[in-house]
Amino acid sequence: MKCLIKNMLKPLYHYLKNKNEREFQRLCSKWGGYKRFERVNNVKFLKYSFDVPDLPSFIWQFKEIFVDEIYKFNSKNEEPVIYDCGANIGMSCLYFKILYLKARIKAFEADPIITDVLKLNLARNGINDVEIINKAVWIDYNGVEFGRDGADGGSIYLMSNKIKVDSIRLKDFLDNELEIDFLKIDIEGAEYEVLKDCADSLSKVRNIFVEYHSWYNKPQKLSEILRILEANNFRYYIENVSKRKHPFISHTKQQNMDLQLNIFGVKDD
């Protein structure tokens, strides 16, 4: 009975203790009824304000980034170098700046329309020292065909709304840094190719976040990604993003992806 009561009261405890949890509940109550891809400008949260092209993904990002704090990391450097690959509308950049005011951030976003929102949101909230790069993170500078979804799911593997966008080779950027305190890679399926190309440059990275996407029409590459992390002395933790109730019988190709994982890698001092 004691255990049951404790589990029942735990959500209330978090709600009362954590102001960001309360803000998440407020956002859900106010904006949770909106459909996907309905743009709403000047959405207020905490003491900030963002233009939001897709409220469901915004609310989910707030939960992950500000309530669960999945990007929280420790650094002895007052000006940590942070690479935000897949910066979207700026939620992660904002969080990094709250965590480390003097952080030196490079924010990469492939979608030109989302990049405009990113720039506006950061400027509106007084963040003017983030280097924003409107190019796809990739393995060369030849440009890529990029499928836009108008929110946080744009990908080179998305077949609809394709446009040609410029690209950068991430490896070259990493090689130009003495050390990268935090490398975030959330690039909707291109992570394997990029990590494979960067394998010899990850020795400079202290903390890494990879959102792994397994697309149905592509071979699964999770084991190879983990081998790359192991070879670079990362201790990793894996969290399932998209749980299936009955994995054996819910395996359907009607979905774009059959697996989505958050991978957190840390190097011991």
Side-chain angles (χ1 to χ4, degrees):
M1 179 61 71
K2 183 178 180 181
C3 181
L4 177 62
I5 295 173
K6 183 178 180 181
N7 287 333
M8 291 175 63
L9 292 178
K10 187 180 292 186
L12 177 60
Y13 172 78
H14 287 301
Y15 178 83
L16 295 174
K17 185 178 179 182
N18 189 336
K19 69 173 184 177
N20 290 355
E21 176 68 41
R22 297 193 296 275
E23 182 68 349
F24 169 66
Q25 297 297 335
R26 186 190 71 81
L27 290 171
C28 287
S29 177
K30 183 171 184 177
W31 303 111
Y34 275 67
K35 296 178 181 178
R36 295 215 65 187
F37 313 116
E38 291 186 61
R39 178 162 178 161
V40 177
N41 294 335
N42 198 28
V43 174
K44 292 179 170 53
F45 62 102
L46 301 176
K47 60 179 182 178
Y48 309 102
S49 173
F50 268 29
D51 283 3
V52 176
D54 179 70
L55 280 161
S57 63
F58 164 78
I59 293 171
W60 178 251
Q61 286 179 35
F62 182 86
K63 172 71 162 58
E64 281 196 321
I65 297 172
F66 287 91
V67 179
D68 301 334
E69 292 192 278
I70 65 170
Y71 299 143
K72 188 173 184 177
F73 71 99
N74 293 322
S75 177
K76 298 176 182 177
N77 186 358
E78 291 185 1
E79 301 180 14
V81 175
I82 299 173
Y83 275 42
D84 189 344
C85 302
N88 196 242
I89 64 171
M91 294 290 279
S92 48
C93 288
L94 173 61
Y95 176 80
F96 290 135
K97 275 297 181 180
I98 295 171
L99 194 62
Y100 294 103
L101 180 62
K102 297 180 181 180
R104 296 192 293 117
I105 303 175
K106 282 184 168 63
F108 301 85
E109 175 53 49
D111 188 323
I113 295 177
I114 296 296
T115 299
D116 288 342
V117 179
L118 167 66
K119 291 177 180 178
L120 185 152
N121 284 341
L122 294 186
R124 176 185 292 161
N125 291 280
I127 301 172
N128 301 303
D129 57 350
V130 171
E131 182 180 352
I132 299 173
I133 301 168
N134 178 206
K135 296 182 180 181
V137 172
W138 190 230
I139 61 174
D140 57 41
Y141 298 90
N142 300 328
V144 292
E145 294 291 327
F146 180 82
R148 298 182 57 252
D149 83 333
D152 62 345
S155 170
I156 63 173
Y157 296 121
L158 195 65
M159 293 298 104
S160 58
N161 299 319
K162 294 284 245 185
I163 60 172
K164 183 71 176 286
V165 299
D166 293 336
S167 62
I168 60 96
R169 188 185 185 197
L170 182 62
K171 174 180 171 56
D172 293 343
F173 280 72
L174 300 184
D175 287 343
N176 285 330
E177 300 283 356
L178 294 176
E179 185 173 81
I180 299 95
D181 297 87
F182 193 97
L183 171 59
K184 172 198 160 209
I185 300 180
D186 184 1
I187 50 179
E188 301 298 318
E191 58 275 357
Y192 167 68
E193 290 88 346
V194 170
L195 284 169
K196 183 179 178 182
D197 188 53
C198 293
D200 294 335
S201 303
L202 295 178
S203 60
K204 297 183 174 186
V205 178
R206 301 296 304 166
N207 303 275
I208 187 169
F209 171 87
V210 180
E211 184 165 299
Y212 170 68
H213 307 78
S214 172
W215 292 78
Y216 264 117
N217 60 345
K218 299 292 179 181
Q220 292 185 317
K221 296 291 186 180
L222 177 59
S223 62
E224 296 185 43
I225 288 175
L226 296 181
R227 277 196 289 270
I228 291 170
L229 297 182
E230 290 169 1
N232 282 277
N233 299 315
F234 285 103
R235 300 290 301 181
Y236 54 77
Y237 166 76
I238 301 174
E239 185 176 74
N240 194 356
V241 177
S242 54
K243 296 180 181 179
R244 291 201 296 257
K245 185 175 181 181
H246 302 294
F248 291 106
I249 61 177
S250 62
H251 187 275
T252 170
K253 292 187 178 181
Q254 298 302 313
Q255 301 167 326
N256 287 329
M257 290 180 283
D258 57 359
L259 185 62
Q260 188 175 353
L261 303 172
N262 288 339
I263 305 173
F264 308 83
V266 181
K267 284 182 181 169
D268 294 330
D269 290 331

